[in-house]
Amino acid sequence: MVDFFQSVLTSALGKNDVVLRHQPIGGGCINQAVRLTTVSGNYFLKWNKAQVDMFEKESLGLKLLSKSGKVSIPKVYQSGELEGKGYLLMEYIEPGKMDRGFWQQLGNGLAEMHKSTNAQFGLNHDNYIGRLYQKNTFHADWVDFFINCRLIPQIKLARNAGLISTDIVARFETLYLQLNDLMPVEKPALLHGDLWSGNIHCDQEKRPYLIDPAVYYGHREAELAFTQLFGGFDELFYNSYENTYPLMSGFDSRVDLFNLYPLLVHLNLFGSSYLGSIVNTLKKFA
Ligand code: ADP
């Protein structure tokens, strides 16, 4: 692997930097990752063999979030393909310990980022969530986008894999008719798109960084709901978000509805243990 690491480094930085050490980094769901220590400093490299365009899309997403200027994003050096592997080389952010200020900065920064808007919901290119394809065709209406680009593609995948029954599909179809009444109108907001605790990172100065996004312009409640999927973030995060950009009333009652999308993604990625939560939400709303 050292040859691969060295080739990436030379290609990305265009100089005669030398890899001195490489340490595997765990915690990712999909890819392999290392910290590279070179003559010039430290770098974070991740790669996989299967989907070489995945990192091109991740790199575009990271740059878009970074352009908003509201949250910290590791600098992206290069994404590409070498020796049959797709890779992404980034700035290495030495991890630190999250404190109160971290959560407050994250809540405030995310709320400010969500104020970055767009004429329509979607994005000018499709991308990935985990290793699953994520369709971002522009729609003027959030509910149309949520149904056509978020629920239907994942339901089709799950159905083809035999993970859900026709009865569940029918329940989703009933739900579609109610979504306009259930989801409040919001402007399209720039979203990270895969915001769970594994995709926030803290540096040594306790500053929050966002990593591994699945970016699109969406309903900001979808992002906030996603953060609650696996236990939720610190309360200070939600207070700080609310102070900067208050949510519409009744958000708590909509969380499960928005989380149908990440739950379907998890069903397709990791199997049927996520089905129970999906069925519970469908029973509640459809
Ligand atoms: P995957 O695409 O496989 O889910 P991630 O992008 O989530 O991988 O990265 C895996 C782990 O590597 C993260 O949980 C985080 O701890 C660490 N990590 C990610 N990006 C950086 C970075 N730029 N600097 C240091 N560590 C990072």
Side-chain angles (χ1 to χ4, degrees), residues 25-33 44 46 55 58 74 90-95 198-199 201 211-212:
I25 296 182
C29 294
I30 309 292
N31 305 296
Q32 288 179 270
F44 176 82
K46 63 177 182 174
F55 296 122
E58 184 173 334
M90 296 194 299
E91 175 187 7
Y92 178 78
I93 308 292
E94 186 73 41
N199 285 342
H201 192 80
I211 55 172
D212 203 13

Side-chain angles (χ1 to χ4, degrees), residues 25-89:
I25 296 182
C29 294
I30 309 292
N31 305 296
Q32 288 179 270
V34 282
R35 168 190 175 158
L36 295 180
T37 303
T38 78
V39 172
S40 71
N42 290 309
Y43 299 88
F44 176 82
L45 172 69
K46 63 177 182 174
W47 73 96
N48 75 34
K49 282 184 190 163
Q51 285 153 307
V52 288
D53 72 327
M54 196 187 221
F55 296 122
E56 182 202 335
K57 301 296 158 60
E58 184 173 334
S59 152
L60 287 172
L62 287 165
K63 286 175 184 167
L64 195 57
L65 296 184
S66 174
K67 227 171 91 186
S68 81
K70 302 299 180 190
V71 286
S72 298
I73 306 292
K75 185 174 161 45
V76 176
Y77 292 109
Q78 187 167 289
S79 62
E81 188 186 345
L82 263 178
E83 301 168 15
K85 300 181 207 45
Y87 68 85
L88 179 59
L89 184 72

Side-chain angles (χ1 to χ4, degrees), residues 103-122:
W103 289 110
Q104 282 162 342
Q105 274 187 67
L106 183 64
N108 174 262
L110 193 78
E112 291 293 349
M113 191 184 98
H114 284 175
K115 292 180 186 169
S116 308
T117 189
N118 189 57
Q120 299 196 70
F121 296 95

Side-chain angles (χ1 to χ4, degrees), residues 206-252:
K206 305 182 187 308
R207 279 181 306 231
Y209 280 75
L210 299 185
I211 55 172
D212 203 13
V215 174
Y216 65 105
Y217 287 93
H219 197 300
R220 65 194 177 107
E221 289 188 4
E223 185 108 294
L224 272 295
F226 208 139
T227 66
Q228 298 190 16
L229 193 57
F230 305 112
F233 289 6
D234 193 287
E235 208 186 319
L236 290 165
F237 163 82
Y238 298 102
N239 293 343
S240 174
Y241 184 98
E242 191 69 30
N243 286 339
T244 309
Y245 192 10
L247 290 165
M248 287 200 215
S249 65
F251 165 66
D252 289 347

